[in-house]
Amino acid sequence: MTRRRVVVVGAGAGGLSAALCLAARGVEVTVLERAGGVGGKIRAVGVPGREIDAGPTVFTMRWVFDELFAAAGKEFSSALTLERADVLARHAWLDGSTLDLFSDEDRSADAIAALCGPTEAAGYRRFCQRAQQIYDVLERPFMASPKPNEISLAFRVGVRELPQLLRAIPIRPLYAELQRYFRDPRLLQLFGRYATYVGSSPYSAPSTLMLIAHSERLGVWRVSGGMRQVAAAMRDCAVGQGASIRVSAEVTQIRVAGGCVQGVVLADGSFVAADAVIFNGDVAALEAGLLGEQVSTTIPRKSVATRSLSAATWCVDATTSGFDLSHH
């Protein structure tokens, strides 16, 4: 039997995950990446003498990577060096106040009490309980399931857990939900930041994003050599399973004929045949026809007014002052 050929466009974390899983199942996989290296948003900027992580700095939900590597018969812990961080994040405001959040709820509550008073600390404990409730209900049926919706969620959760699911479904925006637990504007700002993780606003994003707080309390990890080592480990594992990864290979068109994908065309005019193509990029690029008009017609039409953007990141090589930083 001829092996299926799959082209993955984009070597971000999603593309590398797809390549790793498919290659481990015997699929012939080729990953094509426009940039000069893998990782997508997991990237570094070089300065004299060292490199600075310019993308994600917080590594959480390690068990996702444990399961990913285990599916390929590998151990994630042997691919790179991880150290669990005691301090989840250090926060500072222009008035000079600072606040550390810890993986230990009691320590975080004590720190909040010292900064904002016992009422806010009690609100933080209620916030943690609610965040865990949302996380427990939605982890498997939503976060670990393909194309979840209200109906599929109900079936996966089951009748017995349906009341908890209904309580976890967002009824109000994140900021409005946070006001049930906090009054201090610094804490509202701090915990409202979870909306920015997905490029949204706490005034409109759903309150289910509170589950991020619980996932962080379950563990934030330091990665020896920087976050880019996570992408490197995924690349090496995928290659070890037989995947081919090409960088500086820009895809300009996904070719379709007779309603079926044929492969992709590169900027240099070459063609890579495929039985299926996985696009690990912004869906707006497909809708706009940047990968060919034939592909754009397969995307449900939406109003895309502006490009997707989650953050503007400044990378600075400088001497700090004012308060001690806590680096992930």
Side-chain angles (χ1 to χ4, degrees):
M1 179 180 293
T2 303
R3 290 203 303 168
R4 286 181 59 82
R5 299 167 300 175
V6 174
V7 165
V8 179
V9 181
L16 293 173
S17 297
L20 195 163
C21 291
L22 290 171
R25 288 165 173 76
V27 177
E28 182 181 331
V29 182
T30 300
V31 182
L32 302 172
E33 169 57 51
R34 179 176 62 178
V38 302
K41 290 182 180 179
I42 307 177
R43 65 189 186 92
V45 173
V47 297
R50 59 187 178 278
E51 291 185 320
I52 300 174
D53 277 326
T57 60
V58 178
F59 183 66
T60 59
M61 298 182 70
R62 172 181 166 175
W63 56 91
V64 173
F65 292 86
D66 289 333
E67 293 175 2
L68 178 65
F69 275 64
K74 304 295 181 179
E75 289 188 6
F76 180 62
S77 58
S78 64
L80 70 177
T81 302
L82 300 171
E83 177 188 0
R84 186 163 182 165
D86 182 37
V87 177
L88 300 182
R90 176 161 293 166
H91 311 84
W93 290 269
L94 293 178
D95 62 6
S97 57
T98 61
L99 175 67
D100 284 358
L101 289 182
F102 304 90
S103 56
D104 182 84
E105 181 182 328
D106 292 336
R107 292 186 65 187
S108 293
D110 290 343
I112 290 174
L115 177 67
C116 309
T119 300
E120 296 293 272
Y124 171 72
R125 290 190 182 278
R126 297 197 311 274
F127 168 81
C128 289
Q129 292 175 355
R130 176 62 171 153
Q132 181 173 356
Q133 178 191 52
I134 295 173
Y135 182 93
D136 289 343
V137 172
L138 296 180
E139 180 193 8
R140 289 298 173 184
F142 182 78
M143 292 191 289
S145 298
K147 296 183 179 180
N149 56 47
E150 291 84 349
I151 297 176
S152 66
L153 276 174
F155 277 107
R156 289 167 183 150
V157 169
V159 177
R160 185 174 299 177
E161 301 296 328
L162 191 57
Q164 291 192 44
L165 173 63
L166 294 176
R167 288 195 293 271
I169 292 177
I171 300 176
R172 63 180 74 194
L174 175 61
Y175 195 84
E177 181 72 11
L178 291 175
Q179 290 179 311
R180 298 179 58 184
Y181 309 101
F182 306 111
R183 290 292 180 267
D184 192 296
R186 294 169 295 185
L187 298 183
L188 289 169
Q189 178 196 38
L190 189 163
F191 292 106
R193 79 179 191 275
Y194 295 124
T196 69
Y197 285 17
V198 295
S200 188
S201 163
Y203 302 108
S204 58
S207 57
T208 45
L209 292 178
M210 289 168 54
L211 61 82
I212 299 175
H214 183 68
S215 68
E216 288 185 347
R217 286 198 302 110
L218 291 176
V220 169
W221 304 84
R222 295 188 184 94
V223 182
S224 179
M227 284 290 291
R228 57 196 175 277
Q229 299 303 323
V230 176
M234 297 172 70
R235 174 201 62 203
D236 293 345
C237 187
V239 171
Q241 299 301 308
S244 172
I245 298 179
R246 295 168 56 185
V247 298
S248 300
E250 180 180 1
V251 173
T252 58
Q253 180 186 2
I254 299 175
R255 184 174 293 175
V256 179
C260 297
V261 70
Q262 302 294 307
V264 299
V265 179
L266 275 64
D268 62 6
S270 61
F271 176 74
V272 180
D275 300 305
V277 173
I278 296 175
F279 180 66
N280 181 220
D282 193 331
V283 69
L286 296 180
E287 184 185 32
L290 299 184
L291 277 297
E293 290 299 324
Q294 291 176 309
V295 177
S296 69
T297 61
T298 67
I299 304 300
R301 290 295 172 181
K302 299 178 181 178
S303 176
V304 182
T306 58
R307 60 170 295 187
S308 298
L309 179 66
S310 60
T313 304
W314 291 83
C315 302
V316 180
D317 181 26
T319 301
T320 63
S321 62
F323 66 97
D324 292 333
L325 298 181
S326 178
H327 186 250
H328 286 121

